[in-house]
């Protein structure tokens, strides 16, 4: 029996118990939103969003970002939901089923490949959050100046043992959740982790906002200087939207394949997008007022969270406690995302290789670990020389998946729904077969036919350097 289908005893209308095959699914509405928002909320919101905003003009970047969430993020998300829930399969199987005999399944396969690549480098960074949690608990971050923290970050990354151990620990935690399946693994843990994440975020926001001089940080976040909106800021915001919302590689096709039939897809997409955006902005509210209060420049790039933030914590009252809390927040956010990416591969293995869930989970995790091992060692002396286009393996996987695979995947996903999938079926899926009004459908169709594919084509062509904006 294929592993994502379970035999269940159900009582039919005549009151007779019967064995029936049922695919796994989320049990509750809150479970659907917690799991899906859990996928979207991750390192992308708390690590990447603040440093992208910091480097790209703060409020101006955020303004463009918000616009793109509505123009591109939600429409692509809704398209993945439609594909996933109507096919009820992994991304590869879904395209095979909805477009038999056509090459669309290649998009699904590309999504599976992207899942391997994203999981390898993403879990590497997730492992760093565990090291930093550990360091903050043993007091290793306290009393260091900026140079000390920068060299600590460098020596940790180039170590042979520690990044690998933390990688495996994080991968193991991820696999342990997927092992228990959709309801008992993913849903059960995300409905606890997501509220906890919100709580920690609020505590950190209050701490940051009560620091002297925090108003300057809020100005940086919320008073846009329109002259800073340049073509490169626009492209950075577009890429950030896709990465942060988990769209473009079939994570959301996979999750939607487990949504209950009565779930309101557009409602879920709005709840998930609002949560994702709110967490990104609140992460900005944690980081920028603190940075301005301690007169640290916000445009530090990827080291912002691992170098700049510990510097700030080191100078603040209760810093050790808040540092630990922050890295717990980062780890939780990462975990609810890694399980969603691993689930893409697990569902694929279950359905296409006929493995049961447990075997599929261990096989997928082991396969990802091979790539992840190399990735976690990207800064190590042994592998540092392994470079392509001036990037080490980690940077190469990050770049290729975010700038190439996601935009290409997203482009074809909207193209498929907009131009090849039947309009009647789109309507049936969005209105739950006529039970919901879904008046927004013409607007949605207009966006996925014209606006989203053109926008995605621009990021992609710019990403690979075919056009320069
Ligand atoms: N969105 C997550 C974050 O912001 C990362 C993520 C999970 C993702 N699944 C994805 C990114 C699929 C791209 C595609 O951290």
């Amino acid at each position: 029996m294929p592993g994502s289908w379970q035999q269940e005893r159900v009582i039919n209308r005549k009151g007779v118990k019967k064995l029936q095959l049922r695919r796994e699914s989320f049990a509750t509405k809150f479970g659907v939103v917690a799991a899906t928002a859990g996928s979207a909320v991750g390192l992308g919101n708390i690590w990447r969003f603040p440093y992208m905003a910091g480097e790209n003009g703060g409020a101006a970047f955020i303004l463009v970002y918000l616009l793109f969430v509505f123009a591109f993020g939600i429409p692509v998300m809704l398209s993945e939901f439609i594909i996933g829930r109507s096919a009820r399969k992994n991304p590869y199987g879904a395209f095979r089923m909805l477009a038999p005999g056509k090459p669309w399944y290649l998009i699904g396969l590309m999504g599976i490949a992207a899942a391997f690549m994203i999981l390898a480098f993403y879990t590497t960074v997730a492992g760093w959050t565990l090291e930093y949690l550990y360091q903050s608990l043993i007091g290793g971050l306290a009393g260091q100046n900026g140079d000390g923290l920068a060299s600590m970050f460098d020596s940790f990354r180039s170590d042979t043992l520690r990044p690998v151990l933390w990688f495996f620990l994080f991968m193991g935690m991820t696999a342990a959740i997927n092992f228990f399946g959709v309801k008992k693994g993913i849903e059960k843990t995300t409905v606890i982790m997501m509220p906890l994440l919100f709580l920690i975020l609020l505590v950190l926001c209050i701490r940051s906002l009560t620091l002297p001089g925090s108003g300057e940080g809020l100005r940086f976040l919320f008073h846009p200087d329109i002259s800073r909106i340049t073509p490169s800021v626009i492209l950075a915001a577009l890429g950030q939207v896709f990465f942060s919302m988990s769209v473009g590689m079939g994570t959301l096709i996979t999750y939607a394949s487990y949504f209950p039939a009565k779930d309101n897809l557009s409602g879920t997409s709005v709840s998930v997008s609002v949560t994702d955006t709110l967490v990104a902005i609140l992460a900005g509210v944690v980081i920028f007022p603190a940075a301005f209060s301690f007169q640290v420049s916000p445009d530090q790039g990827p080291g912002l969270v691992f170098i700049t933030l510990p510097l700030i914590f080191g100078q603040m009252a209760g810093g050790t406690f808040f540092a630990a809390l922050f890295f717990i927040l980062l780890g939780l956010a990462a975990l609810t995302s890694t399980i969603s990416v691993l689930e893409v591969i697990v569902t694929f293995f279950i359905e296409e290789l006929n493995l049961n869930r447990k075997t599929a989970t261990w096989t997928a995790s082991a396969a990802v670990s091979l790539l992840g091992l190399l990735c976690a060692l990207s800064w190590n002396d042994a592998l540092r020389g392994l470079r392509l286009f001036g990037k080490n393996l980690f940077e190469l996987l990050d770049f290729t998946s975010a700038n190439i695979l996601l935009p290409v995947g997203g482009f074809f996903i909207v193209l498929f729904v907009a131009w090849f999938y039947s309009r009647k079926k789109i309507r049936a899926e969005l209105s739950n077969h006529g039970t919901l009004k879904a008046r927004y459908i013409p607007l949605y169709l207009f966006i996925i036919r014209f606006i989203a594919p053109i926008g995605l084509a621009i990021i992609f062509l710019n990403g690979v350097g075919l056009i320069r904006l």
Side-chain angles (χ1 to χ4, degrees), residues 39-40 42-45 118 122 243-244 246 249 251 337 340-341 406:
S39 171
L43 297 170
N45 304 57
I118 291 180
Y122 197 90
F243 188 82
S244 184
S246 297
M249 53 147 279
T251 302
S337 298
S340 74
V341 186
L406 293 185

Side-chain angles (χ1 to χ4, degrees), residues 89 226 281 376 398 445 455:
K89 282 203 161 37
I226 302 292
I281 290 180
D398 179 351
L445 287 174

Side-chain angles (χ1 to χ4, degrees), residues 150-165:
S151 74
M152 185 178 147
F153 185 54
D154 279 338
S155 71
F156 162 66
R157 280 199 311 189
S158 49
D159 196 71
T160 312
L161 202 57
R162 284 182 297 159
V164 176
L165 285 182

Side-chain angles (χ1 to χ4, degrees), residues 252-330:
L252 299 181
I253 294 180
T254 305
Y255 267 19
S257 77
Y258 295 123
F259 286 1
K262 60 178 191 300
D263 194 69
N264 176 352
L265 296 184
S266 62
T268 298
S269 74
V270 172
S271 310
V272 170
S273 310
V274 168
T275 309
D276 186 62
T277 307
L278 198 64
V279 171
I281 290 180
L282 290 179
V285 171
V286 171
I287 292 166
F288 293 114
F292 278 86
S293 175
F294 288 97
Q295 280 143 27
V296 175
S297 158
D299 56 357
Q300 306 282 308
L304 187 65
V305 157
F306 294 104
I307 300 169
T308 314
L309 218 51
L311 182 66
I312 297 169
F313 286 131
Q315 301 174 34
M316 115 191 347
T320 306
F321 171 74
F322 289 107
L325 210 55
F326 178 81
F327 288 110
I328 292 174
L329 170 75
L330 205 54

Side-chain angles (χ1 to χ4, degrees), residues 13 60 172 234 272 300 362 441:
R13 261 179 298 174
I234 292 177
V272 170
Q300 306 282 308
W362 294 126
I441 290 177

